[in-house]
Amino acid sequence: MRARNLLDTARLVRRRLARSTQVRIHGEIDADNADRVAHLLTASLKHTKGPLDIDLAAVPRLSHSGAGAFVDTLRAAHTAGIPVTVRNANPQVREALHSLGLERMLTFTDDTPAP
């Protein structure tokens, strides 16, 4: 089922933690909301004084078009020397980012607690 707008599919929560910025995205990211997600990620990058942390635990699917939303932000972060971490991305989301070669500009990590 396709959502009507960004508020239905991808909700972004941004908070500053000390000198880093954490972004949580909720919902599917696809061509319908990629521009909005890109704008929100770029704005988050502009407001951070340190690392940018993007939590994708609540993103069930990332289309190839949706993955494009990360391109400009990751390039700008890379150029500025700002580390970007993508947390809790499922295998499909990781593959979508990998398909654009974006894994070279970010670090993947999971918050899975140790047994």
Side-chain angles (χ1 to χ4, degrees):
M1 182 170 94
R2 302 218 27 134
R4 290 181 295 269
N5 62 46
L6 178 66
L7 295 177
D8 290 339
T9 60
R11 185 170 45 98
L12 180 128
V13 176
R14 181 177 66 202
R15 63 182 178 158
R16 289 183 189 88
L17 303 170
R19 293 176 6 136
S20 66
T21 298
Q22 183 181 50
V23 177
R24 290 185 189 149
I25 302 177
H26 299 262
E28 185 174 307
I29 303 172
D30 58 21
D32 292 338
N33 59 19
D35 287 342
R36 178 82 173 130
V37 171
H39 174 75
L40 294 170
L41 288 172
T42 300
S44 296
L45 181 64
K46 288 179 183 176
H47 294 288
T48 191
K49 302 260 190 257
L52 180 62
D53 186 87
I54 305 169
D55 190 335
L56 300 180
V59 175
R61 183 177 170 278
L62 177 64
S63 72
H64 186 75
S65 298
F70 292 81
V71 173
D72 289 340
T73 298
L74 291 174
R75 284 184 182 154
H78 184 72
T79 299
I82 297 172
V84 176
T85 300
V86 170
R87 293 188 178 284
N88 307 313
N90 71 45
Q92 187 279 321
V93 170
R94 286 181 185 227
E95 179 55 34
L97 293 169
H98 174 77
S99 72
L100 294 178
L102 300 179
E103 77 283 356
R104 294 185 306 257
M105 293 182 271
L106 57 85
T107 301
F108 286 109
T109 189
D110 291 311
D111 291 338
T112 306

mmCIF file of all heavy atoms in Angstrom, residues 14-52:
data_model
loop_
_atom_site.group_PDB
_atom_site.id
_atom_site.type_symbol
_atom_site.label_atom_id
_atom_site.label_comp_id
_atom_site.label_asym_id
_atom_site.label_seq_id
_atom_site.Cartn_x
_atom_site.Cartn_y
_atom_site.Cartn_z
ATOM 1 N N ARG A 14 14.478 14.639 14.603
ATOM 2 C CA ARG A 14 15.861 15.076 14.713
ATOM 3 C C ARG A 14 16.091 15.595 16.119
ATOM 4 O O ARG A 14 15.302 16.336 16.658
ATOM 5 C CB ARG A 14 16.125 16.184 13.697
ATOM 6 C CG ARG A 14 17.548 16.680 13.718
ATOM 7 C CD ARG A 14 17.777 17.711 12.653
ATOM 8 N NE ARG A 14 16.993 18.894 12.936
ATOM 9 C CZ ARG A 14 16.642 19.781 12.030
ATOM 10 N NH1 ARG A 14 16.977 19.637 10.785
ATOM 11 N NH2 ARG A 14 15.928 20.837 12.351
ATOM 12 N N ARG A 15 17.189 15.181 16.699
ATOM 13 C CA ARG A 15 17.554 15.727 17.997
ATOM 14 C C ARG A 15 19.059 15.824 18.078
ATOM 15 O O ARG A 15 19.784 15.033 17.488
ATOM 16 C CB ARG A 15 16.985 14.902 19.143
ATOM 17 C CG ARG A 15 17.500 13.505 19.208
ATOM 18 C CD ARG A 15 16.854 12.757 20.342
ATOM 19 N NE ARG A 15 17.357 11.397 20.318
ATOM 20 C CZ ARG A 15 17.360 10.601 21.335
ATOM 21 N NH1 ARG A 15 16.879 10.996 22.473
ATOM 22 N NH2 ARG A 15 17.829 9.393 21.242
ATOM 23 N N ARG A 16 19.495 16.814 18.810
ATOM 24 C CA ARG A 16 20.928 17.006 18.993
ATOM 25 C C ARG A 16 21.348 16.338 20.283
ATOM 26 O O ARG A 16 20.744 16.546 21.322
ATOM 27 C CB ARG A 16 21.253 18.485 19.019
ATOM 28 C CG ARG A 16 21.093 19.116 17.661
ATOM 29 C CD ARG A 16 21.494 20.575 17.680
ATOM 30 N NE ARG A 16 21.116 21.187 16.427
ATOM 31 C CZ ARG A 16 19.942 21.736 16.196
ATOM 32 N NH1 ARG A 16 19.033 21.766 17.114
ATOM 33 N NH2 ARG A 16 19.680 22.267 15.022
ATOM 34 N N LEU A 17 22.385 15.544 20.211
ATOM 35 C CA LEU A 17 22.954 14.885 21.380
ATOM 36 C C LEU A 17 24.377 15.384 21.515
ATOM 37 O O LEU A 17 25.238 15.004 20.744
ATOM 38 C CB LEU A 17 22.943 13.365 21.205
ATOM 39 C CG LEU A 17 21.585 12.722 20.948
ATOM 40 C CD1 LEU A 17 21.768 11.270 20.558
ATOM 41 C CD2 LEU A 17 20.730 12.839 22.181
ATOM 42 N N ALA A 18 24.580 16.253 22.490
ATOM 43 C CA ALA A 18 25.891 16.865 22.685
ATOM 44 C C ALA A 18 26.283 17.566 21.387
ATOM 45 O O ALA A 18 25.651 18.534 21.010
ATOM 46 C CB ALA A 18 26.914 15.842 23.131
ATOM 47 N N ARG A 19 27.289 17.048 20.695
ATOM 48 C CA ARG A 19 27.741 17.698 19.459
ATOM 49 C C ARG A 19 27.388 16.893 18.231
ATOM 50 O O ARG A 19 27.870 17.175 17.145
ATOM 51 C CB ARG A 19 29.238 17.943 19.545
ATOM 52 C CG ARG A 19 29.532 18.958 20.615
ATOM 53 C CD ARG A 19 30.971 19.243 20.901
ATOM 54 N NE ARG A 19 31.989 18.661 20.077
ATOM 55 C CZ ARG A 19 33.039 19.310 19.631
ATOM 56 N NH1 ARG A 19 33.183 20.573 19.911
ATOM 57 N NH2 ARG A 19 33.946 18.701 18.928
ATOM 58 N N SER A 20 26.537 15.903 18.357
ATOM 59 C CA SER A 20 26.110 15.134 17.195
ATOM 60 C C SER A 20 24.613 15.341 16.990
ATOM 61 O O SER A 20 23.916 15.860 17.844
ATOM 62 C CB SER A 20 26.418 13.642 17.387
ATOM 63 O OG SER A 20 25.641 13.120 18.432
ATOM 64 N N THR A 21 24.135 14.915 15.841
ATOM 65 C CA THR A 21 22.716 15.009 15.526
ATOM 66 C C THR A 21 22.208 13.623 15.184
ATOM 67 O O THR A 21 22.820 12.910 14.388
ATOM 68 C CB THR A 21 22.480 15.965 14.334
ATOM 69 O OG1 THR A 21 22.930 17.263 14.699
ATOM 70 C CG2 THR A 21 21.013 16.028 13.964
ATOM 71 N N GLN A 22 21.094 13.253 15.798
ATOM 72 C CA GLN A 22 20.483 11.961 15.522
ATOM 73 C C GLN A 22 19.192 12.185 14.740
ATOM 74 O O GLN A 22 18.375 13.026 15.109
ATOM 75 C CB GLN A 22 20.168 11.219 16.809
ATOM 76 C CG GLN A 22 19.597 9.835 16.545
ATOM 77 C CD GLN A 22 19.263 9.114 17.828
ATOM 78 O OE1 GLN A 22 18.600 9.659 18.693
ATOM 79 N NE2 GLN A 22 19.740 7.892 17.935
ATOM 80 N N VAL A 23 19.034 11.422 13.673
ATOM 81 C CA VAL A 23 17.854 11.502 12.825
ATOM 82 C C VAL A 23 17.209 10.123 12.805
ATOM 83 O O VAL A 23 17.902 9.123 12.567
ATOM 84 C CB VAL A 23 18.242 11.910 11.380
ATOM 85 C CG1 VAL A 23 17.030 11.933 10.484
ATOM 86 C CG2 VAL A 23 18.961 13.242 11.362
ATOM 87 N N ARG A 24 15.906 10.065 13.056
ATOM 88 C CA ARG A 24 15.163 8.809 12.945
ATOM 89 C C ARG A 24 14.139 8.966 11.848
ATOM 90 O O ARG A 24 13.344 9.903 11.869
ATOM 91 C CB ARG A 24 14.435 8.488 14.242
ATOM 92 C CG ARG A 24 15.338 8.108 15.351
ATOM 93 C CD ARG A 24 14.529 7.692 16.553
ATOM 94 N NE ARG A 24 15.421 7.528 17.675
ATOM 95 C CZ ARG A 24 15.077 7.746 18.922
ATOM 96 N NH1 ARG A 24 13.856 8.109 19.220
ATOM 97 N NH2 ARG A 24 15.956 7.570 19.881
ATOM 98 N N ILE A 25 14.163 8.046 10.918
ATOM 99 C CA ILE A 25 13.198 8.084 9.825
ATOM 100 C C ILE A 25 12.272 6.890 9.992
ATOM 101 O O ILE A 25 12.720 5.775 10.257
ATOM 102 C CB ILE A 25 13.894 8.062 8.452
ATOM 103 C CG1 ILE A 25 14.850 9.249 8.343
ATOM 104 C CG2 ILE A 25 12.855 8.102 7.335
ATOM 105 C CD1 ILE A 25 15.649 9.292 7.071
ATOM 106 N N HIS A 26 10.977 7.137 9.815
ATOM 107 C CA HIS A 26 9.957 6.111 9.970
ATOM 108 C C HIS A 26 9.194 5.960 8.664
ATOM 109 O O HIS A 26 8.766 6.940 8.080
ATOM 110 C CB HIS A 26 8.962 6.499 11.073
ATOM 111 C CG HIS A 26 9.599 6.660 12.403
ATOM 112 N ND1 HIS A 26 9.581 5.676 13.345
ATOM 113 C CD2 HIS A 26 10.279 7.686 12.944
ATOM 114 C CE1 HIS A 26 10.220 6.084 14.416
ATOM 115 N NE2 HIS A 26 10.658 7.313 14.200
ATOM 116 N N GLY A 27 9.041 4.745 8.216
ATOM 117 C CA GLY A 27 8.230 4.477 7.040
ATOM 118 C C GLY A 27 9.050 4.233 5.790
ATOM 119 O O GLY A 27 10.256 4.425 5.749
ATOM 120 N N GLU A 28 8.369 3.807 4.776
ATOM 121 C CA GLU A 28 8.982 3.516 3.482
ATOM 122 C C GLU A 28 9.502 4.805 2.841
ATOM 123 O O GLU A 28 8.875 5.853 2.939
ATOM 124 C CB GLU A 28 7.909 2.892 2.585
ATOM 125 C CG GLU A 28 8.409 2.425 1.261
ATOM 126 C CD GLU A 28 7.325 1.701 0.502
ATOM 127 O OE1 GLU A 28 6.732 0.767 1.051
ATOM 128 O OE2 GLU A 28 7.081 2.089 -0.662
ATOM 129 N N ILE A 29 10.663 4.695 2.206
ATOM 130 C CA ILE A 29 11.220 5.837 1.476
ATOM 131 C C ILE A 29 11.260 5.439 0.005
ATOM 132 O O ILE A 29 11.883 4.452 -0.371
ATOM 133 C CB ILE A 29 12.630 6.202 1.968
ATOM 134 C CG1 ILE A 29 12.609 6.497 3.468
ATOM 135 C CG2 ILE A 29 13.162 7.408 1.194
ATOM 136 C CD1 ILE A 29 13.987 6.672 4.077
ATOM 137 N N ASP A 30 10.565 6.216 -0.823
ATOM 138 C CA ASP A 30 10.488 5.910 -2.246
ATOM 139 C C ASP A 30 10.449 7.207 -3.051
ATOM 140 O O ASP A 30 10.689 8.283 -2.502
ATOM 141 C CB ASP A 30 9.278 5.015 -2.542
ATOM 142 C CG ASP A 30 7.959 5.635 -2.103
ATOM 143 O OD1 ASP A 30 7.892 6.876 -1.942
ATOM 144 O OD2 ASP A 30 6.990 4.876 -1.912
ATOM 145 N N ALA A 31 10.146 7.103 -4.336
ATOM 146 C CA ALA A 31 10.149 8.275 -5.209
ATOM 147 C C ALA A 31 9.158 9.345 -4.756
ATOM 148 O O ALA A 31 9.394 10.536 -4.958
ATOM 149 C CB ALA A 31 9.835 7.850 -6.643
ATOM 150 N N ASP A 32 8.072 8.925 -4.115
ATOM 151 C CA ASP A 32 7.055 9.888 -3.685
ATOM 152 C C ASP A 32 7.536 10.824 -2.588
ATOM 153 O O ASP A 32 7.040 11.942 -2.472
ATOM 154 C CB ASP A 32 5.796 9.155 -3.195
ATOM 155 C CG ASP A 32 5.062 8.447 -4.320
ATOM 156 O OD1 ASP A 32 5.245 8.831 -5.493
ATOM 157 O OD2 ASP A 32 4.320 7.503 -4.013
ATOM 158 N N ASN A 33 8.470 10.378 -1.763
ATOM 159 C CA ASN A 33 8.897 11.234 -0.661
ATOM 160 C C ASN A 33 10.413 11.448 -0.609
ATOM 161 O O ASN A 33 10.906 12.059 0.323
ATOM 162 C CB ASN A 33 8.391 10.689 0.679
ATOM 163 C CG ASN A 33 8.885 9.290 0.976
ATOM 164 O OD1 ASN A 33 9.855 8.827 0.400
ATOM 165 N ND2 ASN A 33 8.208 8.612 1.880
ATOM 166 N N ALA A 34 11.141 10.980 -1.595
ATOM 167 C CA ALA A 34 12.603 11.093 -1.590
ATOM 168 C C ALA A 34 13.079 12.544 -1.507
ATOM 169 O O ALA A 34 14.026 12.844 -0.778
ATOM 170 C CB ALA A 34 13.198 10.417 -2.819
ATOM 171 N N ASP A 35 12.417 13.454 -2.223
ATOM 172 C CA ASP A 35 12.846 14.858 -2.189
ATOM 173 C C ASP A 35 12.686 15.447 -0.791
ATOM 174 O O ASP A 35 13.553 16.179 -0.313
ATOM 175 C CB ASP A 35 12.056 15.703 -3.185
ATOM 176 C CG ASP A 35 12.455 15.432 -4.624
ATOM 177 O OD1 ASP A 35 13.549 14.873 -4.848
ATOM 178 O OD2 ASP A 35 11.670 15.782 -5.522
ATOM 179 N N ARG A 36 11.605 15.109 -0.140
ATOM 180 C CA ARG A 36 11.360 15.617 1.216
ATOM 181 C C ARG A 36 12.374 15.038 2.206
ATOM 182 O O ARG A 36 12.915 15.756 3.035
ATOM 183 C CB ARG A 36 9.930 15.258 1.632
ATOM 184 C CG ARG A 36 9.580 15.693 3.009
ATOM 185 C CD ARG A 36 9.182 17.160 3.039
ATOM 186 N NE ARG A 36 8.693 17.448 4.388
ATOM 187 C CZ ARG A 36 9.109 18.465 5.098
ATOM 188 N NH1 ARG A 36 9.971 19.312 4.602
ATOM 189 N NH2 ARG A 36 8.645 18.660 6.299
ATOM 190 N N VAL A 37 12.650 13.751 2.094
ATOM 191 C CA VAL A 37 13.645 13.123 2.972
ATOM 192 C C VAL A 37 15.020 13.752 2.721
ATOM 193 O O VAL A 37 15.745 14.063 3.662
ATOM 194 C CB VAL A 37 13.677 11.593 2.778
ATOM 195 C CG1 VAL A 37 14.841 10.968 3.525
ATOM 196 C CG2 VAL A 37 12.356 10.974 3.237
ATOM 197 N N ALA A 38 15.367 13.958 1.452
ATOM 198 C CA ALA A 38 16.651 14.584 1.115
ATOM 199 C C ALA A 38 16.755 15.974 1.747
ATOM 200 O O ALA A 38 17.796 16.332 2.313
ATOM 201 C CB ALA A 38 16.815 14.676 -0.397
ATOM 202 N N HIS A 39 15.694 16.747 1.653
ATOM 203 C CA HIS A 39 15.698 18.092 2.239
ATOM 204 C C HIS A 39 15.899 18.025 3.753
ATOM 205 O O HIS A 39 16.689 18.788 4.316
ATOM 206 C CB HIS A 39 14.391 18.810 1.906
ATOM 207 C CG HIS A 39 14.254 20.128 2.580
ATOM 208 N ND1 HIS A 39 14.942 21.246 2.175
ATOM 209 C CD2 HIS A 39 13.535 20.504 3.662
ATOM 210 C CE1 HIS A 39 14.655 22.252 2.972
ATOM 211 N NE2 HIS A 39 13.796 21.828 3.882
ATOM 212 N N LEU A 40 15.203 17.124 4.410
ATOM 213 C CA LEU A 40 15.313 17.002 5.861
ATOM 214 C C LEU A 40 16.696 16.523 6.288
ATOM 215 O O LEU A 40 17.249 17.000 7.280
ATOM 216 C CB LEU A 40 14.227 16.075 6.388
ATOM 217 C CG LEU A 40 12.805 16.619 6.225
ATOM 218 C CD1 LEU A 40 11.784 15.532 6.535
ATOM 219 C CD2 LEU A 40 12.569 17.828 7.095
ATOM 220 N N LEU A 41 17.284 15.591 5.537
ATOM 221 C CA LEU A 41 18.635 15.122 5.864
ATOM 222 C C LEU A 41 19.662 16.237 5.668
ATOM 223 O O LEU A 41 20.559 16.418 6.494
ATOM 224 C CB LEU A 41 19.009 13.909 5.016
ATOM 225 C CG LEU A 41 18.294 12.609 5.360
ATOM 226 C CD1 LEU A 41 18.610 11.542 4.320
ATOM 227 C CD2 LEU A 41 18.670 12.136 6.750
ATOM 228 N N THR A 42 19.519 16.982 4.589
ATOM 229 C CA THR A 42 20.444 18.086 4.322
ATOM 230 C C THR A 42 20.329 19.151 5.407
ATOM 231 O O THR A 42 21.343 19.676 5.882
ATOM 232 C CB THR A 42 20.172 18.685 2.928
ATOM 233 O OG1 THR A 42 20.342 17.663 1.944
ATOM 234 C CG2 THR A 42 21.113 19.837 2.622
ATOM 235 N N ALA A 43 19.107 19.451 5.830
ATOM 236 C CA ALA A 43 18.919 20.426 6.903
ATOM 237 C C ALA A 43 19.547 19.927 8.203
ATOM 238 O O ALA A 43 20.157 20.701 8.944
ATOM 239 C CB ALA A 43 17.426 20.701 7.104
ATOM 240 N N SER A 44 19.420 18.643 8.473
ATOM 241 C CA SER A 44 20.030 18.070 9.678
ATOM 242 C C SER A 44 21.541 18.200 9.631
ATOM 243 O O SER A 44 22.185 18.511 10.641
ATOM 244 C CB SER A 44 19.642 16.599 9.825
ATOM 245 O OG SER A 44 18.263 16.482 10.020
ATOM 246 N N LEU A 45 22.114 17.962 8.473
ATOM 247 C CA LEU A 45 23.563 18.072 8.314
ATOM 248 C C LEU A 45 24.030 19.508 8.555
ATOM 249 O O LEU A 45 25.050 19.738 9.207
ATOM 250 C CB LEU A 45 23.987 17.601 6.922
ATOM 251 C CG LEU A 45 25.472 17.633 6.628
ATOM 252 C CD1 LEU A 45 26.214 16.660 7.545
ATOM 253 C CD2 LEU A 45 25.722 17.285 5.171
ATOM 254 N N LYS A 46 23.269 20.467 8.081
ATOM 255 C CA LYS A 46 23.645 21.871 8.252
ATOM 256 C C LYS A 46 23.640 22.295 9.707
ATOM 257 O O LYS A 46 24.341 23.224 10.079
ATOM 258 C CB LYS A 46 22.699 22.769 7.449
ATOM 259 C CG LYS A 46 22.912 22.686 5.964
ATOM 260 C CD LYS A 46 21.940 23.559 5.223
ATOM 261 C CE LYS A 46 22.127 23.414 3.726
ATOM 262 N NZ LYS A 46 21.132 24.185 2.971
ATOM 263 N N HIS A 47 22.851 21.626 10.531
ATOM 264 C CA HIS A 47 22.711 22.022 11.932
ATOM 265 C C HIS A 47 23.567 21.213 12.890
ATOM 266 O O HIS A 47 23.519 21.448 14.088
ATOM 267 C CB HIS A 47 21.244 21.929 12.353
ATOM 268 C CG HIS A 47 20.379 22.913 11.651
ATOM 269 N ND1 HIS A 47 20.406 24.263 11.913
ATOM 270 C CD2 HIS A 47 19.494 22.746 10.649
ATOM 271 C CE1 HIS A 47 19.561 24.877 11.120
ATOM 272 N NE2 HIS A 47 18.993 23.991 10.341
ATOM 273 N N THR A 48 24.350 20.278 12.382
ATOM 274 C CA THR A 48 25.158 19.468 13.290
ATOM 275 C C THR A 48 26.546 20.063 13.459
ATOM 276 O O THR A 48 27.083 20.684 12.556
ATOM 277 C CB THR A 48 25.240 17.998 12.822
ATOM 278 O OG1 THR A 48 25.814 17.228 13.868
ATOM 279 C CG2 THR A 48 26.065 17.836 11.558
ATOM 280 N N LYS A 49 27.084 19.869 14.637
ATOM 281 C CA LYS A 49 28.453 20.298 14.923
ATOM 282 C C LYS A 49 29.387 19.097 14.965
ATOM 283 O O LYS A 49 30.568 19.226 15.184
ATOM 284 C CB LYS A 49 28.491 21.014 16.275
ATOM 285 C CG LYS A 49 27.590 22.197 16.361
ATOM 286 C CD LYS A 49 28.365 23.457 16.162
ATOM 287 C CE LYS A 49 27.529 24.669 16.484
ATOM 288 N NZ LYS A 49 27.054 25.357 15.344
ATOM 289 N N GLY A 50 28.823 17.919 14.782
ATOM 290 C CA GLY A 50 29.613 16.692 14.859
ATOM 291 C C GLY A 50 28.998 15.626 13.989
ATOM 292 O O GLY A 50 28.363 15.934 12.988
ATOM 293 N N PRO A 51 29.156 14.388 14.374
ATOM 294 C CA PRO A 51 28.656 13.273 13.556
ATOM 295 C C PRO A 51 27.143 13.331 13.331
ATOM 296 O O PRO A 51 26.397 13.830 14.165
ATOM 297 C CB PRO A 51 29.017 12.043 14.379
ATOM 298 C CG PRO A 51 30.110 12.484 15.285
ATOM 299 C CD PRO A 51 29.850 13.936 15.561
ATOM 300 N N LEU A 52 26.722 12.802 12.195
ATOM 301 C CA LEU A 52 25.307 12.664 11.859
ATOM 302 C C LEU A 52 24.957 11.184 11.978
ATOM 303 O O LEU A 52 25.599 10.334 11.359
ATOM 304 C CB LEU A 52 25.039 13.165 10.441
ATOM 305 C CG LEU A 52 23.596 13.089 9.948
ATOM 306 C CD1 LEU A 52 22.678 13.950 10.814
ATOM 307 C CD2 LEU A 52 23.524 13.539 8.492
#
